[in-house]
Amino acid sequence: MSDKTNIVLGAGMTGLAAGMVSGLPVYESATVPGGICSSYYLRPNTTAPLYDAPEDGEGYRFEIGGGHWIFGGDPTILHFIESIVSVKSYRRKSAVYFSKEDLYVPYPIQNHLAYLGKDIAKKAIDEIIHSPKRIPITMEEWLEISFGKTLMKKFFAPFHELYTAGLWTEIAPQDAYKSPVDLSLAVKGVLKKKPPKVGYNVTYLYPREGLNILSQRIAKRCEIYYNKTVERISIRKKEVEFSDDSVQGYKNLISTLPLNKVIEMSGIDIGMEPDAYTSVLVLNIGAKKGSKCPQEHWLYIPDSKSGFHRVGFYSNVDSSFLPKSSRSEKDRVSIYVEKAFRNGEKPTDKEIKKYSRSVIRELKNWKFIEEEETVHPTWIEVAYTWKKPDSIWKKVAMNELEKRGVYQIGRYGRWIFQGIAESIKDGFFAGGALKN
């Protein structure tokens, strides 16, 4: 066992930032940095991922966890990002797609009610205006109070059933920033007046060469040990045990690993069940473009037969996600498809193959794609974190770890939703505070 020092677990964006600013060693289970915010490449008709762009440019670019874009963030963090990679700025193009009607409604749906027809628009706006004044306990109650029964039945109920893997009836209200309620904007949408774009990602940035370049360049400023999967954290001995049978002692531990997993690996009994989470199976697909392939960056889907809730189009954001030979003609498309699962209930390889075939059939039926050239699944064990009504699990869990010198940071470490810029800021703060 090596000498004890402060250490960092996880080389995602948060862990990389902590390792860079502190000089502390970073331990990562994968063979490359970036976590779920990392790009990779697949040549057409191949299945072996490449972590560097092919020299001839003939590869689709995908991301491990689907589309991840840099939105919001402290100006100083954005300055840091732009100092190490060249970025482009984009203005969001997103919509709700009702596949049975072949109907696109710009996001957020409550600000574009005229697209749903006069009857639905009239009922919906009346319900929004006369929403009951009670405090919701669950996400289901919050959605109905905010948007009314008509929009619930049309979109919010079926979509959230898919998006949360059925948890929306059990978890506390959250995600208000993703679908903000503004009566004046809703009225504009009924009157067919174009409302301004709203939400947390109206504009966003993306590195010209891919997210992997951002993570690789930060990683070069860090001391990283790869293939280091944590098996156990001995709180009493202050040691981390890895799957390769190595052990690393620590004084203080900066952890970006999911809070529930760290509590489990450390063996701390906090006397309550952890809050819920959803896992996501991401299918990255490269294909010949279909005759009705949309122009949006991503679509929210409430009625897919295959059970996915979102389809994103990398190559609608930027043509650099396509093989070089297709970037001017744009006759191909690079896509990610997301399906949620409750609390890590991972499907078998056989089930994933069956699901993949179903997704391809559905996208072909919608004429989004013609022939697929590559289909590659990635599994995100903890993708979206949720809070149960009145739950104090997160607070207690983090307090118990902090008493023992374990500091949880980042999106999954702190069990919150935040983007890349905010995650880097988290890492800078923790790394600066706990550098040796």
Side-chain angles (χ1 to χ4, degrees):
M1 184 187 72
S2 57
D3 294 336
K4 290 185 177 181
T5 180
N6 293 339
I7 65 172
V8 180
L9 295 183
M13 291 298 183
T14 313
L16 289 172
M20 190 196 89
V21 77
S22 67
L24 301 175
V26 181
Y27 296 84
E28 167 58 42
S29 63
T31 58
V32 293
I36 65 171
C37 297
S38 187
S39 307
Y40 68 97
Y41 304 83
L42 277 170
R43 289 184 177 275
N45 304 307
T46 67
T47 57
L50 306 171
Y51 293 100
D52 292 301
E55 288 188 10
D56 61 4
E58 290 304 312
Y60 288 99
R61 185 166 76 218
F62 301 121
E63 284 165 13
I64 292 172
H68 285 93
W69 321 108
I70 302 170
F71 54 82
D74 188 290
T76 58
I77 302 302
L78 299 179
H79 175 79
F80 163 73
I81 292 171
E82 292 177 20
S83 73
I84 59 174
V85 292
S86 175
V87 299
K88 289 178 69 175
S89 178
Y90 304 89
R91 190 161 177 81
R92 184 191 68 211
K93 297 178 184 176
S94 62
V96 174
Y97 179 59
F98 296 96
S99 64
K100 294 176 183 177
E101 305 164 63
D102 193 24
L103 173 65
Y104 293 84
V105 180
Y107 169 87
I109 190 172
Q110 66 273 14
N111 292 353
H112 299 88
L113 295 175
Y115 285 78
L116 299 174
K118 289 182 179 180
D119 290 343
I120 291 179
K122 184 178 182 302
K123 289 180 182 177
I125 195 66
D126 185 66
E127 290 167 359
I128 292 173
I129 291 171
H130 299 97
S131 61
K133 307 301 181 186
R134 68 175 189 271
I135 299 175
I137 304 300
T138 65
M139 179 181 279
E140 178 185 25
E141 292 176 1
W142 173 75
L143 289 167
E144 184 167 332
I145 289 171
S146 299
F147 304 111
K149 292 182 179 180
T150 299
L151 281 184
M152 277 285 284
K153 182 179 179 180
K154 182 69 178 177
F155 170 70
F156 287 103
F159 174 77
H160 281 81
E161 181 67 23
L162 297 175
Y163 167 52
T164 69
L167 290 168
W168 68 301
T169 63
E170 307 168 25
I171 55 179
Q174 46 215 291
D175 282 5
Y177 55 90
K178 293 184 179 180
S179 195
V181 184
D182 186 321
L183 181 57
S184 66
L185 297 183
V187 170
K188 279 188 177 182
V190 172
L191 299 175
K192 298 184 180 180
K193 295 180 180 179
K194 190 175 181 180
K197 290 181 180 290
V198 297
Y200 65 100
N201 56 4
V202 170
T203 60
Y204 57 90
L205 306 175
Y206 187 79
R208 292 176 187 271
E209 299 176 81
L211 272 178
N212 57 321
I213 302 302
L214 174 60
S215 59
Q216 287 169 11
R217 289 183 180 170
I218 301 176
K220 286 181 180 179
R221 307 181 184 192
C222 300
E223 177 188 348
I224 305 179
Y225 299 87
Y226 295 104
N227 287 311
K228 289 289 187 179
T229 301
V230 179
E231 290 288 333
R232 182 171 175 267
I233 300 172
S234 174
I235 297 296
R236 184 178 61 83
K237 295 181 180 180
K238 287 204 165 187
E239 294 175 351
V240 178
E241 300 172 12
F242 298 98
S243 59
D244 62 1
D245 295 326
S246 63
V247 177
Q248 174 62 53
Y250 65 88
K251 294 178 182 177
N252 294 289
L253 183 61
I254 299 174
S255 168
T256 67
L257 308 185
L259 180 58
N260 62 335
K261 303 297 182 183
V262 173
I263 287 292
E264 182 181 325
M265 289 187 292
S266 64
I268 298 174
D269 182 7
I270 63 172
M272 62 187 72
E273 288 293 313
D275 282 339
Y277 66 95
T278 46
S279 308
V280 170
L281 176 64
V282 177
L283 282 188
N284 283 320
I285 300 167
K288 298 290 186 180
K289 181 183 281 189
S291 61
K292 296 180 70 175
C293 186
Q295 297 299 309
E296 280 78 9
H297 297 165
W298 59 84
L299 300 174
Y300 301 101
I301 315 288
D303 58 1
S304 70
K305 293 179 181 178
S306 306
F308 53 84
H309 63 272
R310 177 157 58 176
V311 177
F313 302 85
Y314 297 113
S315 50
N316 285 355
V317 174
D318 200 277
S319 62
S320 62
F321 283 93
L322 294 174
K324 187 176 181 180
S325 57
S326 290
R327 290 175 192 169
S328 55
E329 293 295 325
K330 297 182 181 179
D331 55 348
R332 286 169 160 142
V333 62
S334 181
I335 295 175
Y336 61 97
V337 179
E338 300 179 28
K339 181 176 181 178
F341 294 81
R342 182 185 290 226
N343 296 325
E345 296 174 353
K346 187 177 181 180
T348 64
D349 289 345
K350 184 177 180 180
E351 289 169 335
I352 291 174
K353 288 179 181 178
K354 182 179 179 181
Y355 165 71
S356 299
R357 291 193 295 268
S358 175
V359 170
I360 294 298
R361 281 196 304 271
E362 200 158 4
L363 295 181
K364 285 181 177 178
N365 288 339
W366 297 350
K367 298 183 180 180
F368 284 8
I369 65 172
E370 290 182 1
E371 291 306 309
E372 71 276 16
E373 293 188 311
T374 186
V375 181
H376 189 259
T378 63
W379 175 257
I380 312 304
E381 173 68 18
V382 179
Y384 295 103
T385 59
W386 310 108
K387 180 180 181 293
K388 296 177 183 177
D390 300 320
S391 172
I392 59 171
W393 169 78
K394 170 184 162 180
K395 181 179 179 180
V396 172
M398 291 184 69
N399 284 345
E400 289 300 317
L401 289 169
E402 288 163 8
K403 289 177 186 176
R404 297 163 171 86
V406 178
Y407 298 92
Q408 292 289 120
I409 64 171
R411 174 170 174 171
Y412 301 113
R414 295 199 293 128
W415 212 257
I416 58 173
F417 178 83
Q418 64 184 32
I420 293 171
E422 197 64 27
S423 294
I424 291 174
K425 183 178 179 180
D426 252 13
F428 281 170
F429 182 85
L434 292 176
K435 63 192 298 186
N436 285 330

